[in-house]
Amino acid sequence: MDIGTVGAGRIGTAVLRRLKPFDVKLHYTDRHRLPDEVAKELGVTFHQTAAEMVPICDVVTINAPLHPETENLFNEAMIGKMKRGAYLVNTARGKICNRDAIARALESGQLAGYAGDVWFPQPAPKDHPWRSMPHHGMTPHISGSSLSAQARYAAGTREILECWFEGRPIREEYLIVSGGKLAGAGAHSYSAGDATRGSEEAAHFKT
């Protein structure tokens, strides 16, 4: 099988490493190329865009942050470029996928299955179409709620606050914005702009 990840940062690369032992052909698209030694180790093929990668893949997994470049990325057009009968996994952000396009693709057979733990809006209302669409594997968004994850969050928050109060630089991997501009990991991963619109859509559903 050919499996591709949209996003190959910390999480996307970890996904690729976990898939490598299954003897599949690995692909990725990202704003940044993986280091040559990592790409060689994983035997992964780079694609400039998701649109170039998805026609090749039997499974596509989304491991990218939500920002203007990824908002609604998997819409009707992108899903139409995928192999008929491919699988889509979204454990990134619900709004990267178009809610209604996903449901239609599962009903038509364009997608053989969709799985994820992220919704839009979130928490999902009782009659959200992703609860009742065919061939789905949806779970609540609780992966960050394990005790070990909460311990890491607490330690990271404490470190950021200590740096702030002591006037020390915040670690690049913790830094998203500085002086009103994207910085650190934020500048590496995000594009400037607003991807928060649409929360009023929750009003269209029964709570």
Side-chain angles (χ1 to χ4, degrees):
M1 295 181 76
D2 287 86
I3 303 179
T5 174
V6 177
R10 179 177 54 85
I11 295 172
T13 301
V15 169
L16 291 170
R17 289 189 192 284
R18 284 162 173 75
L19 287 168
K20 188 176 187 298
F22 290 92
D23 194 26
V24 292
K25 296 174 184 176
L26 296 174
H27 305 263
Y28 81 98
T29 182
D30 196 286
R31 300 168 73 191
H32 309 281
R33 297 286 292 263
L34 288 170
D36 289 343
E37 61 273 19
V38 175
K40 185 176 180 181
E41 171 202 346
L42 297 174
V44 66
T45 301
F46 173 73
H47 300 266
Q48 289 286 348
T49 65
E52 292 177 11
M53 183 185 76
V54 299
I56 298 164
C57 295
D58 301 290
V59 180
V60 174
T61 172
I62 303 171
N63 300 287
L66 174 65
H67 56 99
E69 290 177 23
T70 60
E71 182 180 8
N72 202 42
L73 178 63
F74 278 81
N75 55 15
E76 202 92 41
M78 183 69 76
I79 295 168
K81 294 179 187 295
M82 296 176 69
K83 283 185 180 180
R84 183 170 177 83
Y87 292 84
L88 183 59
V89 180
N90 180 12
T91 53
R93 289 293 179 264
K95 209 176 180 191
I96 294 175
C97 293
N98 181 280
R99 181 193 63 221
D100 298 326
I102 293 292
R104 285 193 295 269
L106 289 166
E107 289 161 2
S108 72
Q110 174 62 18
L111 286 178
Y114 179 88
D117 65 347
V118 286
W119 307 69
F120 185 79
Q122 188 169 291
K126 287 186 286 188
D127 55 354
H128 193 292
W130 288 4
R131 293 186 185 275
S132 57
M133 62 189 181
H135 312 301
H136 78 83
M138 295 299 301
T139 70
H141 189 185
I142 57 171
S143 62
S145 299
S146 65
L147 292 176
S148 59
Q150 291 299 311
R152 289 196 305 275
Y153 296 161
T157 302
R158 176 175 176 166
E159 181 183 326
I160 291 167
L161 289 171
E162 288 174 346
C163 288
W164 173 260
F165 287 120
E166 294 170 10
R168 293 186 285 116
I170 295 171
R171 266 202 275 170
E172 289 286 297
E173 57 263 44
Y174 289 159
L175 196 59
I176 304 297
V177 173
S178 181
K181 294 183 179 179
L182 291 168
H188 182 85
S189 303
Y190 295 88
S191 57
D194 179 13
T196 63
R197 299 174 303 277
S199 58
E200 67 279 0
E201 288 191 31
H204 299 166
F205 298 91
K206 298 173 185 174
T207 55

